[in-house]
Amino acid sequence: MTNILSDIYEIEEQEQRAKRAASANIKSTATRFALENLAFRIFGGKVPPYWLFRHDASAYVSPDRYNEIKNATDEQLEDVIRANALGIPMQFPLRMKLDEPGAEEWTVPWEPMVTVNGSNIIVKRHVNKGKVRGSIKERWTQDDYTVSIEGILIGSDGKYPKDDVNRLREFCEAGRVEVIHPLLVEFGITHIVIDSWDIPHTVGAANQNYSIQATSDDIYKLLI
């Protein structure tokens, strides 16, 4: 009887060890995914699976750069990311502030990818029964800049980054936001109006991807 109980306990213990190993493997895979993508944001690219990111967000990385990151250890990637995201200085930090009195500035904790797109408003006129092909084009004015922000929020101690997600949501729902970012400064963008945002399903319990679509908002002085 004692041998039978001992065998049962041994089987249960083996099952528990197998479950713990499987859970650890899932967490390790999710962590590795986040580390690789954060490292490539620092170096200026992205890694597979590419479908998790917008196709126009950044260029695909070269095979050499991809292999360099894939062959790096978790500790090496953590050192690269920690120096950028936690230890400061970041290469291109994004700071946001609500456009209201007494609002506090918030630095996005993990450096996001910021993309600026511009366009001109062209007015086209056609000559009636003209013999020359095409239209007469007039540059009417420059259109607003469109700003795309894509990044990831990572919670501490393996927990979901609830506070950071709520803070980001607060800015998204506010509409008009004051922003400070090296790239945006170069284009004279100090305020943006957030048109839409996505908070998609993300691999890893402690990770949350996000993307924001916004438009530059300049202050006009109109004489009426």
Side-chain angles (χ1 to χ4, degrees), residues 28-101:
S28 176
T29 302
T31 301
R32 180 71 187 188
F33 169 81
L35 289 174
E36 289 176 353
N37 279 283
L38 284 169
F40 270 96
R41 286 197 182 96
I42 295 171
F43 294 129
K46 56 186 178 180
V47 298
Y50 295 116
W51 54 266
L52 287 176
F53 300 90
R54 298 183 184 277
H55 294 299
D56 60 351
S58 63
Y60 294 101
V61 299
S62 66
D64 291 339
R65 176 67 77 181
Y66 174 77
N67 291 330
E68 180 182 345
I69 293 300
K70 294 295 289 186
N71 294 329
T73 64
D74 287 356
E75 290 74 16
Q76 290 172 328
L77 293 179
E78 287 173 356
D79 287 340
V80 172
I81 295 169
R82 184 178 301 113
N84 184 267
L86 297 179
I88 339 193
M90 299 182 186
Q91 292 183 346
F92 286 90
L94 173 63
R95 291 176 287 170
M96 298 193 295
K97 183 179 179 181
L98 296 177
D99 193 24
E100 58 185 35

Side-chain angles (χ1 to χ4, degrees), residues 140-211:
W140 192 254
T141 187
Q142 182 180 353
D143 203 355
D144 296 318
Y145 287 114
T146 58
V147 180
S148 300
I149 304 172
E150 294 188 76
I152 187 172
L153 300 173
I154 300 179
S156 59
D157 300 327
K159 297 180 180 179
Y160 184 75
K162 180 178 179 181
D163 292 340
D164 288 336
V165 171
N166 287 332
R167 190 70 187 275
L168 181 66
R169 175 187 173 186
E170 181 181 0
F171 283 96
C172 291
E173 294 182 349
R176 191 172 192 266
V177 177
E178 180 180 347
V179 290
I180 301 175
H181 184 272
L183 179 61
L184 300 182
V185 169
E186 291 297 322
F187 286 85
I189 301 174
T190 58
H191 291 79
I192 60 174
V193 172
I194 296 178
D195 302 308
S196 63
W197 61 94
D198 295 315
I199 309 292
H201 169 75
T202 308
V203 177
N207 307 324
Q208 180 59 68
N209 284 340
Y210 65 89
S211 62

